[in-house]
Amino acid sequence: FDRFYLGLETQTQRRLTSTISAIKAQAGNNTVTKAKENKTFQAIQEERREQAERSVLISCPPKFNENKFLDYLSKHGTINKHFFYSSYGTYAVVEFSSEESISSLKESTHLPAVEHEAAVPFKSRLLSLKWPGNQMNNQPMPTFQEQSPPSIGDISQLLSEKDSIDEQLQCLTEALQLTEKNINLRFLVCSLLGDIAGAYFPECIIRPFGSTVNGFGKLGCDVDMILDLDGIYATSQKKGSGLSLEYQVKRGASERAVTQSILSVIGKCVDQFGPGCVGVQNILQARCPLVRFSHQPSGFQCDLTANNRVAMKSSELLFIYGQLDPRVRHLVFSVRYWARVHSITSSIPGAWITNFSLTVLVVFFLQQRSPPILPTLDRLTELAGPSDKCVIEGNDCTIVSDLSKITLQKNTDTSAKLLQEFFEFYGNFPFNKASINIRKGKEQSKPETTALYIQNPFETTLNVSKNVNATQLERFVKLCQESAWLFQKSEILNRSSSQSAETVSPWGFSALLLPSVTSGAGVKSRRKRKLEPASSRIKTLLDSLKIKGGETVAKKGSA
Ligand code: CTP
Ligand code: MG
């Protein structure tokens, strides 16, 4: 590690230092979770959605004057906030204080004159700023807000400088978590997509769910979206006894068939008319049919689903768990990052454990502490008020929305201790016979023979981790065992006091990110594993830490 950093060219070193300062500044500024503490999940989502409806996304030229740009836009109304980011060009997100400003702005915006092709005249809120060529030079550039996660090299250095493992886990969470502005951009992209889907269903809303809203999103994660056609938050349909009207509707063979047909039409629309939407794929045969595409101006990979209210409820559930105690998010971020660096998870679908499964594993583990750090899902249902009642397709999805009703027991374990115990817990868990059940907060006997059984919190007959095969589960377990081992070594636990801030070796959590000797997917490492006893494997790893750890970490690039 030392050699890697000391050997860097000065210019690269300077760039690295400036990236790290930016991450530090970002970590300090990030108040996403704190500021919203006393609002319900639904209120937070509604507020963000409403802000997005009053916003526009503008592609800007390489050089322009920020003040003149803002003056120009202010003619249409007061600007609440704005920021710039860079993603294959410069973009501005501008939020007005009133929706009327959007209509006014759109009235003064014109369709482009296209010379050799033809334009689809769909007037969206994705605009381009035209700046006179003769006024381009010598303009001060605006500050860009970072939208990508820091590289693993930056993370390792940042963590190595911390004084305790607890500080490392907190710092990792702050460096990786979605920023307020990144969440704004995600809601804006959903809102822009809603305008397209609105051509067919004028009252529809496209809502983000999953890691965009559950408090565990990492910069760069995908945007999961639900096409909400009939008010996801609407309470049960009121049927009066008197005169009433109902809509005549076309019927489909099944709920699934209707969802597939709606998504295929919206997918086509996004593909053909949606500015900036590329690589549209219809994945309609999946258990949960979806349309996948890239939104180029934001750089987001988007998964649009429909008729998926339960997934929004599980996002709310995870959000609540994440809000109850800061250690929850520290643990989830570190376990997910650790798993990603060691290729236990992947963004490509396959037999590996997903981030969602890992999060549920952490929740379950925290329910098992003595005293428990997190309540069971059954407890969250018991605490719910009448307005929290929610039944979706026969599944009781009721959970308390008012977090102040939840009382927690006093558990003073540090995040570092919890992480170590997480590895021990799952390194020894009887996965062959037991299943994970966060509803009861207890392990249950496994209803089927899949390698890993994690009961879906709301659709209780489903297994969240059905995709995981025995090999992938074994890799996870082995890596947990190895990390639990490493956690007991003094070389890992303590930062060497003789090192200066610039030349620290990876220690604590950063040391757990170094390449493993047991988890490699290759045949060679598997053979090696059989031959060597665990203690000598750990020794090899510890030796590699001392000699060349940092080089390997740095070469792996961004996870
Ligand atoms: N989901 C589910 N059952 C699964 C997989 C996913 O109910 N087997 C729901 C969860 O609510 C999850 C959401 O779908 O949060 C989105 O799934 P995914 O994108 O895989 O997970 P995220 O939580 O968004 O995590 P990330 O995208 O960061 O990996
Ligand atoms: Mg996701």
Side-chain angles (χ1 to χ4, degrees):
F1 204 75
D2 306 359
R3 273 199 294 156
F4 169 71
Y5 280 109
L6 293 174
L8 280 175
E9 297 286 334
T10 350
Q11 198 188 349
T12 323
Q13 204 163 12
R14 237 182 278 127
R15 205 170 51 227
L16 192 67
T17 315
S18 84
T19 318
I20 290 173
S21 323
I23 301 166
K24 283 177 181 167
Q26 180 176 305
N29 284 340
N30 212 325
T31 51
V32 174
T33 41
K34 284 244 159 68
K36 309 263 174 192
E37 235 158 35
N38 45 9
K39 289 190 184 149
T40 64
F41 174 80
Q42 190 182 324
I44 297 170
Q45 309 318 314
E46 279 301 293
E47 184 182 325
R48 293 195 191 282
R49 185 181 72 77
E50 199 266 323
Q51 287 168 350
E53 306 260 285
R54 292 185 266 112
S55 305
V56 285
L57 181 56
I58 306 181
S59 159
C60 302
K63 287 190 173 166
F64 65 101
N65 184 301
E66 181 177 351
N67 291 335
K68 278 192 192 162
F69 168 65
L70 294 175
D71 279 352
Y72 176 78
L73 292 179
S74 301
K75 291 191 186 99
H76 301 280
T78 312
I79 294 173
N80 265 6
K81 59 174 186 259
H82 77 280
F83 64 90
F84 298 93
Y85 66 90
S86 165
S87 155
Y88 302 106
T90 299
Y91 285 89
V93 171
V94 181
E95 181 199 308
F96 287 95
S97 63
S98 142
E99 222 174 309
E100 277 127 44
S101 304
I102 303 286
S103 329
S104 161
L105 185 71
K106 282 177 94 170
E107 263 170 45
S108 74
T109 302
H110 48 84
L111 288 164
V114 181
E115 275 173 26
H116 303 294
E117 298 162 295
V120 177
F122 171 64
K123 296 179 178 174
S124 77
R125 280 177 287 138
L126 171 61
L127 312 170
S128 297
L129 172 65
K130 297 288 151 193
W131 199 265
N134 56 356
Q135 293 177 23
M136 284 262 203
N137 292 330
N138 301 327
Q139 304 291 353
M141 287 310 284
T143 311
F144 293 141
Q145 303 294 323
E146 189 54 60
Q147 308 296 330
S148 314
S151 73
I152 185 167
D154 290 351
I155 290 277
S156 286
Q157 192 186 4
L158 206 59
L159 298 190
S160 298
E161 289 170 10
K162 295 286 158 200
D163 292 325
S164 70
I165 298 181
D166 269 359
E167 278 180 31
Q168 288 187 328
L169 303 186
Q170 178 175 348
C171 168
L172 182 82
T173 307
E174 287 172 355
L176 294 177
Q177 71 187 347
L178 301 181
T179 60
E180 185 74 31
K181 294 189 169 71
N182 188 269
I183 300 179
N184 291 153
L185 182 56
R186 286 165 182 265
F187 273 79
L188 176 51
V189 171
C190 290
S191 175
L192 296 178
L193 258 296
D195 289 352
I196 300 174
Y200 286 97
F201 301 100
E203 284 160 29
C204 81
I205 294 172
I206 292 191
R207 301 181 190 274
F209 73 104
S211 54
T212 297
V213 300
N214 67 17
F216 300 111
K218 168 180 164 241
L219 284 169
C221 70
D222 66 355
V223 187
D224 303 294
M225 305 174 175
I226 299 181
L227 173 67
D228 176 11
L229 296 173
D230 192 27
I232 224 165
Y233 294 131
T235 41
S236 55
Q237 302 266 329
K238 292 178 198 77
K239 273 192 199 143
S241 52
L243 211 67
S244 70
L245 288 172
E246 69 178 18
Y247 290 104
Q248 281 208 9
V249 289
K250 191 121 188 170
R251 286 155 206 258
S254 65
E255 198 76 61
R256 181 176 166 84
V258 171
T259 302
Q260 287 170 327
S261 100
I262 292 172
L263 280 179
S264 86
V265 171
I266 301 289
K268 198 154 193 184
C269 212
V270 169
D271 189 23
Q272 302 195 351
F273 308 140
C277 300
V278 298
V280 181
Q281 281 173 275
N282 282 354
I283 310 176
L284 302 177
Q285 299 312 321
R287 185 185 75 79
C288 182
L290 65 107
V291 176
R292 177 167 291 171
F293 57 94
S294 298
H295 185 260
Q296 264 188 338
S298 60
F300 294 142
Q301 164 89 17
C302 305
D303 277 353
L304 176 65
T305 62
N307 194 17
N308 194 11
R309 288 173 65 201
V310 181
M312 183 61 97
K313 266 291 162 190
S314 44
S315 305
E316 178 175 355
L317 175 68
L318 294 189
F319 171 81
I320 291 175
Y321 278 133
Q323 290 290 297
L324 292 180
D325 187 303
R327 291 172 294 181
V328 181
R329 296 180 72 244
H330 297 168
L331 220 60
V332 170
F333 272 91
S334 23
V335 168
R336 283 162 72 143
Y337 195 66
W338 162 90
R340 182 73 186 87
V341 169
H342 290 292
S343 309
I344 292 290
T345 50
S346 164
S347 50
I348 307 158
W352 19 81
I353 303 181
T354 61
N355 276 335
F356 181 59
S357 295
L358 282 173
T359 311
V360 181
L361 287 178
V362 172
V363 168
F364 182 74
F365 162 76
L366 293 172
Q367 291 173 333
Q368 308 303 299
R369 297 306 82 213
S370 175
I373 292 179
L374 287 178
T376 65
L377 173 50
D378 272 344
R379 181 71 191 138
L380 298 182
T381 307
E382 278 163 28
L383 292 170
S387 61
D388 295 332
K389 182 95 193 131
C390 174
V391 178
I392 302 169
E393 288 157 22
N395 300 301
D396 187 359
C397 301
T398 307
I399 40 173
V400 61
S401 58
D402 176 0
L403 303 196
S404 66
K405 287 191 192 164
I406 305 170
T407 45
L408 300 171
Q409 301 188 50
K410 196 165 169 58
N411 178 316
T412 52
D413 288 347
T414 62
S415 303
K417 177 164 189 264
L418 292 170
L419 184 62
Q420 179 178 7
E421 287 183 358
F422 172 91
F423 293 135
E424 279 166 16
F425 184 80
Y426 287 113
N428 295 304
F429 192 82
F431 286 110
N432 56 341
K433 54 181 205 298
S435 71
I436 308 284
N437 184 322
I438 62 164
R439 182 165 277 283
K440 302 263 169 264
K442 282 199 196 105
E443 55 186 74
Q444 312 262 292
S445 58
K446 224 159 69 165
E448 40 176 82
T449 53
T450 37
L452 175 61
Y453 197 102
I454 303 175
Q455 190 194 58
N456 187 307
F458 295 116
E459 293 171 287
T460 51
T461 56
L462 298 180
N463 174 10
V464 167
S465 51
K466 203 182 161 97
N467 62 312
V468 178
N469 65 18
T471 313
Q472 293 303 323
L473 179 65
E474 193 200 350
R475 291 184 61 220
F476 170 72
V477 172
K478 283 273 184 311
L479 201 67
C480 281
Q481 291 169 351
E482 184 180 299
S483 294
W485 256 88
L486 282 172
F487 236 124
Q488 293 168 2
K489 306 285 159 198
S490 59
E491 297 94 313
I492 304 290
L493 285 177
N494 303 311
R495 173 178 170 172
S496 163
S497 52
S498 60
Q499 294 169 337
S500 70
E502 288 78 42
T503 61
V504 276
S505 298
W507 69 280
F509 184 70
S510 343
L512 302 183
L513 302 178
L514 292 171
S516 148
V517 282
T518 62
S519 79
V523 181
K524 197 174 158 212
S525 71
R526 247 181 272 141
R527 263 197 222 126
K528 199 174 169 191
R529 196 161 63 214
K530 286 211 178 88
L531 296 174
E532 282 182 79
S535 53
S536 78
R537 277 187 274 120
I538 302 293
K539 187 175 174 309
T540 319
L541 186 62
L542 284 169
D543 290 344
S544 79
L545 254 177
K546 287 175 200 153
I547 305 163
K548 55 176 182 180
E551 278 183 23
T552 343
V553 164
K555 274 184 200 154
K556 281 185 90 169
S558 171

